[in-house]
Amino acid sequence: QVQLVESGGGLVQAGGSLRLSCSAFGRTLSGDTLAWFRQAPGKEREFLAFISWRGVRTYSDSLKGRFTISRDNAKNTMYLQMNSLKPEDTAVYYCAATPQLRIPRTGDYWGQGTQVTVSS
């Protein structure tokens, strides 16, 4: 059984930083395209960033350079470094993986999410 498990969420003040982790169990991520998404209350799921198995990164324009996606294949883990956090970044953050070279979508491998709350 494949599991993606996010960690690192929590409560942080505006302007602060958090690093989210996503570890995989039952699957090796080294050949997968990995991505981060978020969903705020009452809003649709939002794509944030993805990283290909070669390390090519793509970000949502809305992030304006504040977030960085990375991966450590030796640890079977990927990360999302979030800086200059704003209250509007408050959401549940999800990681996802797919063996295809595309943005993960419903039906691929998804974590259960980790809550990030940014106070003003």
Side-chain angles (χ1 to χ4, degrees):
Q1 182 180 358
V2 177
Q3 279 190 308
L4 300 184
V5 180
E6 302 96 338
S7 61
L11 175 64
V12 63
Q13 288 189 332
S17 298
L18 282 176
R19 188 177 81 155
L20 305 183
S21 300
C22 173
S23 297
F25 302 90
R27 179 174 182 82
T28 299
L29 297 179
S30 59
D32 284 356
T33 301
L34 308 176
W36 286 97
F37 296 77
R38 69 185 178 189
Q39 188 166 19
K43 295 188 176 181
E44 294 186 352
R45 185 173 66 196
E46 177 187 11
F47 164 76
L48 298 177
F50 83 77
I51 183 168
S52 74
W53 67 273
R54 290 186 174 183
V56 176
R57 299 170 173 84
T58 298
Y59 295 93
S60 168
D61 290 341
S62 65
L63 297 181
K64 297 184 179 179
R66 296 186 297 120
F67 293 6
T68 302
I69 189 171
S70 62
R71 64 192 299 163
D72 185 336
N73 290 335
K75 295 182 177 180
N76 214 29
T77 298
M78 73 163 168
Y79 305 96
L80 185 68
Q81 177 67 43
M82 306 187 294
N83 299 326
S84 303
L85 284 163
K86 306 174 181 180
E88 51 265 42
D89 294 317
T90 295
V92 178
Y93 284 69
Y94 298 91
C95 63
T98 176
Q100 306 298 320
L101 189 60
R102 56 165 172 76
I103 296 175
R105 57 196 183 203
T106 302
D108 290 324
Y109 302 105
W110 288 81
Q112 293 299 306
T114 186
Q115 176 70 46
V116 171
T117 303
V118 184
S119 63
S120 57

